Amino acid sequence: MSRASVARRIAAAAAYGGGGIGLLSGATIGLMAAEAQLTRRRIGTSEELPPRADGRYGTTFAHRDGPPLRLAFLGDSTAAGLGVHRARQTPGALVAAGLAAVAERPVRLRNVALSGACSDDLDRQVTLLLEQPDQAPDVCVIMIGANDVTERVPLSRSVRQLAEAVTRLCLAGSEVVVGTCPDLGTIEPMGQPLRWLARRLSRQLAAAQTIAVVEHGGRTVSLGDLLGPEFAANPRELFGPDHYHPSAEGYATAAMAVLPTVCGALGLWPEDVERPDAARREGLLPVAHAAARAASEGGTEVAAARGPWALLRHRRRRRLPAEDPTPPTADAAAPPASSDPADRR
């Protein structure tokens, strides 16, 4: 069965309330669980909290007319920025600073991501953001999926919960960009066959997430392969001390991939310059085929086109601003995100 067919089946099961697809035998699942426990022991536990980066960015443009753009981050510890020690190194702060520079307007960041969260926590996070309907974010970035794989959540359930969150945010007037499930096969302490299984499942989830997000009004950026070869080639630079979460350089790599799509969703990117290029394997594809290709090609954006078609392209990354005034509260410790020290991503 092709990757596109598997992704479409998972997305269809999510849409119609199916429980998932039995891709693994009981013996394989047991072996995977045992390997997962061994990996957890190798990684160890940490009660460290991500730095709090909420606040206002791009204060250089405070004199401009109009309110600041509202940017929100949702998801798991990757969205929260676990693994770095300064607020400006988190992906939310990096994207906020970059967005402010492109828009030449201040940006107010609110991050409700939770370390250890699975997709079922997105409902709570969206509710937090929409407590004041007239203050809905202009654009939301969601990074989710890794814990769904490691906690063996049925992929269709995970996709359905993400689709529901995207729908709520779009109905509230927000643009939505989803950084799909990263490639868990790049984690150093993970042994075989768990690494192979984790890579397979995370790519299947990323492709199914893409189908659901595009069909519910959002855009996606694939993080899997982006954080694969680059992390494998430079594990000491792109992974943090636990060899599981990204380092500051790793988060910057992901943020540079997400920023163009965030700007494009707000109409701030030069679309006439970045026309789809067939030589770069860009263009219109059936949604499922675009999703399958994006899952294995990091930094690939997928957005709705017309009917059953989606536009696949590789946005040209721009370097993030070297420095941006950090909000007064950005380096303060965040409030406890989880009471479970075993939480990971």
Side-chain angles (χ1 to χ4, degrees):
M1 185 182 299
S2 70
R3 292 180 180 176
S5 298
V6 171
R8 172 57 72 184
R9 286 183 61 188
I10 296 172
Y16 294 104
I21 300 175
L23 297 173
L24 304 175
S25 68
T28 303
I29 290 175
L31 178 60
M32 184 174 177
E35 288 284 352
Q37 290 179 354
L38 179 59
T39 299
R40 288 191 182 99
R41 286 198 294 270
R42 288 173 178 168
I43 293 173
T45 61
S46 173
E47 297 184 13
E48 181 181 3
L49 298 174
R52 185 166 185 168
D54 291 30
R56 192 167 177 142
Y57 292 78
T59 53
T60 303
F61 308 108
H63 64 284
R64 297 297 177 94
D65 293 334
L69 290 170
R70 294 186 294 268
L71 167 67
F73 262 66
L74 308 84
D76 54 28
S77 61
T78 300
L82 187 64
V84 296
H85 302 289
R86 295 183 180 276
R88 64 174 179 267
Q89 297 172 328
T90 63
L94 291 167
V95 173
L99 177 58
V102 172
E104 297 187 345
R105 287 176 60 184
V107 172
R108 184 166 294 281
L109 170 67
R110 186 178 182 193
N111 196 325
V112 295
L114 175 67
S115 295
C118 294
S119 295
D120 60 0
D121 192 59
L122 289 175
D123 181 67
R124 181 193 63 83
Q125 295 181 28
V126 171
T127 298
L128 285 175
L129 290 177
L130 301 183
E131 286 176 333
Q132 297 179 314
D134 60 334
Q135 295 295 314
D138 294 298
V139 60
C140 297
V141 176
I142 303 175
M143 296 180 175
I144 199 75
N147 291 316
D148 295 83
V149 174
T150 59
E151 297 297 326
R152 294 181 288 165
V153 176
L155 300 189
S156 60
R157 183 192 304 168
S158 172
V159 172
R160 181 168 63 252
Q161 291 160 343
L162 174 60
E164 290 169 352
V166 172
T167 298
R168 289 181 63 192
L169 291 169
C170 288
L171 289 175
S174 300
E175 298 292 339
V176 181
V177 175
V178 175
T180 55
C181 182
D183 184 354
L184 297 180
T186 62
I187 298 173
E188 277 194 316
M190 188 179 294
Q192 297 289 9
L194 179 60
R195 178 174 294 197
W196 177 84
L197 292 170
R199 169 167 284 128
R200 179 183 179 186
L201 290 174
S202 55
R203 288 190 176 184
Q204 287 174 349
L205 177 56
Q209 286 177 324
T210 297
I211 294 173
V213 170
V214 169
E215 291 182 345
H216 287 81
R219 305 182 184 206
T220 64
V221 179
S222 57
L223 299 181
D225 192 55
L226 173 72
L227 304 183
E230 296 186 32
F231 274 37
N234 302 287
R236 300 305 176 206
E237 289 77 26
L238 296 179
F239 278 118
D242 62 1
H243 306 298
Y244 187 83
H245 293 94
S247 65
E249 291 79 6
Y251 280 127
T253 299
M256 281 192 293
V258 170
L259 177 61
T261 300
V262 169
C263 294
L266 294 172
L268 300 172
W269 209 249
E271 303 288 342
D272 57 332
V273 175
E274 291 198 356
R275 296 184 183 278
D277 184 354
R280 302 176 69 208
R281 301 180 68 196
E282 299 176 331
L284 293 175
L285 291 171
V287 175
H289 291 276
R293 183 180 295 180
S296 60
E297 295 182 17
T300 304
E301 174 189 304
V302 180
R306 56 181 181 272
W309 299 86
L311 177 60
L312 180 148
R313 58 182 163 188
H314 307 90
R315 295 273 192 178
R316 290 174 175 83
R317 303 183 216 168
R318 295 185 180 180
R319 293 197 63 83
L320 299 167
E323 192 68 35
D324 184 82
T326 304
T329 60
D331 280 326
S338 172
S339 61
D340 184 359
D343 282 348
R344 286 287 181 266
R345 196 173 279 274

